[in-house]
Amino acid sequence: MVALAVIVIGIAGFFVLAMRRAPLWQWAVGALILALISRISLDGGLWLVLLSPWTIVALVPAIVLGLLSVTAIRRVLVAAPAYGLVKSILPRVSRTEQEALDAGTVGWDAELFSGRPDWDKLLNIRKVTLTAEEQAFLDGPVNKVCSMIDDWDVRHNRADLSPEVWAYLKEQGFLGMLIGKEWGGLGFSAQAQSQVVSKVASRSVAAGITVMVPNSLGPGELLEKYGTPEQKEKYLARLAKGQEVPCFALTGPYAGSDAASMRDVGVVTYDMYQGKKTLGVKVSWDKRYITLAPVASLVGLAFHLHDPDHLIGDTENIGITLALIPADFPGVEIGRRHYPARAAFMNGPIKGRNVFIPMEFLIGGLDYVGQGWRMLMECLSTGRAISLPAIGTVSIKQSLRVTSAYARIRRQFGIPVGIMEGVAEPLSRLVRSAYTYEAARGLTASMVDEGQKPAVVSALLKYRTTEAMRDRVNDALDIHGGRAVQDGPSNYLFSGYMTTPVAITVEGANILTRTLITFAQGALRAHPYLYAEIAAAQDPDRRHGVAAFDEAFGGHVSFMLRNIAGSFLHAISGGRFASTPVQHEMARWYRAIARYSQSFALVGDWTVAFLGGDLKRKQRLSGRMADILSDLYLLSAVLKRYEDEGRVREDAPLIDAIAKDHLFAIEQSFAAVFANFPNPFLSWLMGVLVFPLGRHQRPASDRETYRFARSVMRPGVFRDRLTIGTYVTMDPKDVTGVLEDALIKVTRAEEVEAKFVRAIKKGVVERRLDRDAITDAVDAKVLTESEAAILRLADQATDRVIKVDDFDPDELAAKQLTRRPEPGRAAE
Ligand SMILES: Cc1cc2nc3c(=O)[nH]c(=O)nc-3n(C[C@H](O)[C@H](O)[C@H](O)COP(=O)(O)OP(=O)(O)OC[C@H]3O[C@@H](n4cnc5c(N)ncnc54)[C@H](O)[C@@H]3O)c2cc1C
């Protein structure tokens, strides 16, 4: 009986102390109480009980814990030996990694890593808002340039934007949205930049990328942040007005994902410049894949700087340094084009051999030599949060916009194809993704506007949005059938399809972004203790290192104990007691995030602790952990969007379905982590702690998802809300306007059409090329004249929608590449 009581009290005590993250002395008191209870029923008087050897054994845990609660003793007995051990286990952080980690900030990602998200930190992030000026720009110049772009002409006839579009983009300041007003730039928020890029890309991906690049990682931002006053004076106003077209060259043939391994080099030396002996740098570089390079007038360049003669200081190998070089500077080889995914945006190589540049070309001058990597990473953590998520998200929204219309307009077997369950399935996926990724895009841009530099979030958002884009564009193509693959001026999907790999490849190819950056590096950055432990372990001053380690390690242990207790308790209670900031219909999803965040903290912690330095190699595990983190992030964004938009009732079932899908995916990823964890005992234990009662999440049902497909095929606020931020025109002569026009006409003709179809089925009228079936229907008194007019309008509009292009064979032959590159040129 006593034994049972001891076990029950012991377990209860463990959970209470672990959940409270009690300090060591409280654990000692707990152990003491437990020891005394275990001896209390013994006979023979107090002294006999106290002097019994078993009592002494029972007191050992309390004594040990008591001693360890004394800092000096703990440091000697635990922290110092653990320090040595951990030093050899923990992943080492290279200088470039360190700079990448230091460059970003943590926010909601750290809350999810903590296992106890503070909901205020999510809900207090500003709603998606634009200033009146930004909104006017979207409604004015952005709509105007969209109406000017003929994407077929761009990608097929010109392989470039038209001169009018280029001129308009430059003069309206599209290329200088991030440059401050004091320099004549638009000085737009991240939210506005994201929305401008989105809308332009919804019209033409090539145009979207052209606008995106100068406003992303590039000379403009680098100059704003680090430029000398002279450099700012010289370039910013010109960049703002498009008088300079910038590009930034980091990637080379041997330095892709591992860009810091570049072979490009600059040596500090004296040479002649403008007729005078001048201190400068002799640079040699070989860069490729550089967007805007073929038309750039100003080249941002990254290279390793060396100073063998100590002309600027004691250090020989100074490190990555950035320079700005005019494209027409002697020695700069520029102008040739790559042809990425046959898209029309400008992209090409840049080379230079022993090009002497004066010191004033270095961005930030001598103060910033050797700091190039940090500068790039700082810009990337914000740029990556804005640009590619904007393009990925809008591609999904645009795919939904056109596909929802097409699925309603296109009929087979007598009914709109979208009604068929097989078609409704991908259409419904488009609906869920459109809501989800717009929520995440908006939230992340708002974070940037609040001053965050979300390195982990930007990485996960980039890979999730661009992967979702790839899948949803495929869904759109599948639903369109042959209409989508017959390329030509009236094909509005194919260019997006062709360019999906571009967004996936740039700014760190997705495999790397998922498997390395999001979790393996993300854990270092966002974990509450790990980073401090590694920093302590790498501290050259051992005494100082042990002290710092002791503090972080103590916190880490109590963090781990709480995650063990919390994860198990949440699992057996189905998350009912997890925290939620709301008490309405969405409370259960907030609780689910809190529950799985605790499990994520536990499993993430053990994954890092067990794999240690192997973490960067065990990428299938870290990839799945990245998926869990990103599912938690996306669901958080969806709940916040629902809240920010005033809880639109019509959206509630959609949020439920999205939540179910994400929670199901989270459980699957956990299960895959456990099934593949290299240590069977830990794998079993994690399974017990996270799913003691098994896995119970189910994805959204066929019934609920079918409803979204039905709803989105009707013109109206639901469809508009889901496709917000895309360029929409009602012009029936426009490549996508034709769909909007037809959708309205077809919807208006719905009842008439039903009558007509019934008459066809009964054999009263017949659809034949040699007869006008609508006239026959009027003659047969199936339709009135006015009904026939409505149906005729719908029919004509449908004709325009389903039409595909055909060409004279010569027309196509003329568009083949006329000249093969000289053999060996690419390998030069
Ligand atoms: C259209 C386009 C435009 C671009 N614009 C610019 C630009 O303006 N400026 C610029 O400097 N660069 C630019 N880039 C370069 C771009 O950033 C690189 O292509 C990208 O970083 C990947 O390099 P890579 O293509 O050489 O792939 P590689 O590095 O050769 O990678 C091959 C594969 O291996 C994976 N991989 C590599 N290392 C790891 C790892 N440690 N763990 C897991 N997987 C890994 C990658 O994910 C990828 O799937 C552009 C690229 C393209 C295609």
Side-chain angles (χ1 to χ4, degrees), residues 248-251 256-257 289-291 340 345 347 502 505-509 511-512 515-516 619:
F248 194 85
L250 173 66
T251 305
S257 306
Y289 301 170
I290 310 308
T291 303
F345 69 93
N347 186 270
V502 170
T505 334
V506 299
E507 289 186 12
I511 296 178
L512 166 95
T515 60
L516 190 71
Q619 297 187 334

Side-chain angles (χ1 to χ4, degrees), residues 42-291:
L42 292 185
D43 296 330
L46 182 64
W47 283 111
L48 207 63
V49 171
L50 284 181
L51 293 175
S52 151
W54 287 112
T55 303
I56 296 174
V57 170
L59 285 174
V60 166
I63 295 167
V64 170
L65 288 167
L67 285 174
L68 292 184
S69 59
V70 180
T71 306
I73 299 175
R74 187 181 61 245
R75 278 194 190 160
V76 174
L77 291 183
V78 179
Y83 177 78
L85 183 72
V86 164
K87 207 174 161 108
S88 61
I89 295 176
L90 283 181
R92 284 202 72 76
V93 180
S94 66
R95 183 178 157 198
T96 47
E97 252 177 322
Q98 182 77 48
E99 287 179 346
L101 291 170
D102 291 344
T105 58
V106 291
W108 185 241
D109 46 340
E111 293 301 313
L112 294 172
F113 261 99
S114 79
R116 281 245 168 143
D118 173 354
W119 294 111
D120 285 346
K121 294 215 171 128
L122 175 72
L123 296 180
N124 289 344
I125 294 170
R126 70 170 75 165
K127 294 180 187 177
V128 173
T129 35
L130 296 177
T131 63
E133 186 193 350
E134 290 166 343
Q135 187 61 55
F137 191 79
L138 271 162
D139 297 339
V142 177
N143 277 346
K144 164 105 172 125
V145 82
C146 286
S147 73
M148 290 166 70
I149 296 169
D150 173 352
D151 196 45
W152 172 252
D153 182 49
V154 167
R155 64 196 168 90
H156 184 72
N157 299 328
R158 299 176 185 276
D160 193 1
L161 303 177
S162 70
E164 297 76 34
V165 168
W166 266 113
Y168 191 74
L169 290 176
K170 288 176 181 176
E171 90 208 9
Q172 293 295 324
F174 278 81
L175 308 188
M177 286 190 287
L178 61 68
I179 296 176
K181 285 190 165 36
E182 66 276 27
W183 304 106
L186 295 176
F188 278 177
S189 63
Q191 193 64 253
Q193 290 176 46
S194 165
Q195 294 194 27
V196 171
V197 169
S198 291
K199 199 177 245 192
V200 176
S202 75
R203 189 62 166 166
S204 154
V205 178
I209 293 177
T210 304
V211 173
M212 174 190 99
V213 167
N215 290 295
S216 186
L217 177 69
E221 191 174 7
L222 290 164
L223 282 176
E224 276 253 0
K225 285 196 175 137
Y226 314 104
T228 61
E230 298 75 35
Q231 289 169 338
K232 289 182 180 175
E233 196 65 49
K234 184 166 175 190
Y235 288 122
L236 281 176
R238 293 179 58 73
L239 283 165
K241 281 284 164 237
Q243 289 155 347
E244 299 281 357
V245 176
C247 68
F248 194 85
L250 173 66
T251 305
Y254 293 92
S257 306
D258 185 12
S261 70
M262 70 187 82
R263 298 175 179 189
D264 317 285
V265 69
V267 178
V268 182
T269 183
Y270 280 98
D271 210 328
M272 297 304 286
Y273 176 63
Q274 293 181 340
K276 274 195 272 174
K277 189 179 172 195
T278 308
L279 182 65
V281 181
K282 203 164 259 182
V283 206
S284 295
W285 71 90
D286 183 0
K287 303 286 192 184
R288 65 176 186 179
Y289 301 170
I290 310 308
T291 303

Side-chain angles (χ1 to χ4, degrees), residues 21 78-79 82-93 98 101 523-542 544-560 604-606 608-610 612:
R21 300 190 67 182
V78 179
Y83 177 78
L85 183 72
V86 164
K87 207 174 161 108
S88 61
I89 295 176
L90 283 181
R92 284 202 72 76
V93 180
Q98 182 77 48
L101 291 170
L524 299 186
R525 192 68 193 88
H527 187 288
Y529 300 101
L530 197 60
Y531 194 46
E533 284 168 337
I534 292 179
Q538 289 188 194
D539 193 331
D541 177 348
R542 188 180 153 84
H544 191 255
V546 171
F549 178 77
D550 176 53
E551 196 167 317
F553 188 64
H556 196 157
V557 171
S558 77
F559 170 70
M560 195 182 288
D605 207 20
W606 288 9
V608 176
F610 184 77

